Amino acid sequence: MPEHTLKRFDEELERLSATISEMGGLAESQLARSLAALRERDTEAAEKVIVDDARVDALDEAVQEQTVRLLALRQPMAVDLRVILSSIKIAAALERIADYAKNTAKRSIVLSQTTPPAAAVTGIERLGRLVRAALKDVLDAFAHGDVAKARDVWERDEEIDQVYTGLFRELLTYMMEDPRTITACTHLMFMAKNIERAGDHVTNIAELVSFRSTGHGFDEARPKGSAAIYATPDAPAGTAP
């Protein structure tokens, strides 16, 4: 390619990465605000999360448009092709994370009409903090091409799964001991599953960060409970755990 064409191509790749970083920051904010709405029983904040999901969807569409243009007009190869293909999958993962945040916000509105066990809500918050921290770190790894940091995030998925499993059992215990908590705890179960699935998508992004730089993910067996990058699409946010 002529030098000016290569420069234009590099600029388009940078713009694509910037769009994904913006999308990631918004998904991170959506998850944080949905958890805050649950904790504070703030229905207005929850409604704002639901409305703002459209912004994430718009950025996802922008990524798709940019990648199609790059593939059609530039015919990239090797590293550039990996960057573009991984961008499509990272954007899809971020869109799903934002969907799970939206669903958490929806259920927090319903829960505001009940009195869920305080300890169970605290458990949801703990799970959410783990996923939020992992999301922040994987976005940093993406921004800097830091494969080592991405691997650290990938390895932390097992802890998220363990916390989720413990929380699920705790919620079952509440429901068995006091049937009056069944409605609230059922909503909390859905929320916990949504947050755990968001964590799985964070793990997928970590592998894609590695793929962008090295051409492969992590060779070891994936942490317990994580979803494979090329697995079939997961169920819509809010389906039964």
Side-chain angles (χ1 to χ4, degrees):
M1 288 185 190
E3 184 176 345
H4 71 279
T5 304
L6 287 173
K7 182 179 179 182
R8 176 85 176 268
F9 182 52
D10 288 341
E11 290 173 349
E12 290 174 343
L13 288 178
E14 289 175 4
R15 185 160 54 250
L16 176 61
S17 292
T19 304
I20 292 176
S21 292
E22 181 183 357
M23 188 179 180
L26 184 53
E28 184 181 355
S29 173
Q30 287 283 89
L31 184 58
R33 290 190 296 145
S34 68
L35 292 166
L38 169 66
R39 180 179 63 251
E40 298 165 12
R41 302 171 70 84
D42 188 339
T43 58
E44 288 187 9
E47 292 284 3
K48 185 70 164 55
V49 171
I50 295 167
V51 170
D52 284 350
D53 183 66
R55 295 171 58 196
V56 181
D57 292 341
L59 287 171
D60 183 40
E61 290 180 7
V63 169
Q64 307 309 316
E65 291 173 0
Q66 290 175 46
T67 54
V68 168
R69 176 181 173 81
L70 284 167
L71 289 170
L73 299 182
R74 304 300 182 186
Q75 298 180 345
M77 299 178 65
V79 175
D80 292 335
L81 181 59
R82 293 203 305 267
V83 168
I84 294 170
L85 293 178
S86 62
S87 295
I88 297 171
K89 291 184 175 294
I90 290 172
L94 290 171
E95 192 273 335
R96 292 301 294 151
I97 290 169
D99 278 348
Y100 289 126
K102 177 179 70 173
N103 187 260
T104 298
K106 286 180 177 179
R107 291 188 181 277
S108 74
I109 293 172
V110 178
L111 278 174
S112 69
Q113 310 300 320
T114 67
T115 306
V121 174
T122 299
I124 293 284
E125 291 177 357
R126 181 190 176 198
L127 181 64
R129 282 195 301 271
L130 289 174
V131 174
R132 283 180 56 202
L135 178 56
K136 179 182 183 301
D137 287 346
V138 86
L139 291 172
D140 288 344
F142 167 80
H144 299 100
D146 190 336
V147 176
K149 192 166 192 174
R151 171 180 281 277
D152 176 68
V153 172
W154 181 80
E155 291 174 344
R156 281 150 54 187
D157 186 67
E158 185 173 2
E159 180 184 6
I160 292 171
D161 286 339
Q162 290 172 348
V163 171
Y164 165 72
T165 299
L167 180 57
F168 186 82
R169 291 172 178 168
E170 180 182 347
L171 289 166
L172 284 177
T173 300
Y174 281 124
M175 289 191 287
M176 287 188 293
E177 292 181 350
D178 185 355
R180 293 172 298 178
T181 67
I182 288 176
T183 297
C185 286
T186 298
H187 284 293
L188 289 172
M189 278 185 172
F190 280 115
M191 296 170 86
K193 185 58 180 177
N194 285 333
I195 296 168
E196 186 268 340
R197 287 295 296 127
D200 285 342
H201 284 289
V202 170
T203 305
N204 290 347
I205 295 172
E207 286 217 66
L208 288 164
V209 169
S210 175
F211 174 74
R212 285 165 75 92
S213 298
T214 67
H216 56 77
F218 302 119
D219 294 334
E220 295 86 351
R222 299 203 34 143
K224 176 182 175 294
S226 9
I229 293 176
Y230 301 107
T232 54
D234 51 9
T239 54

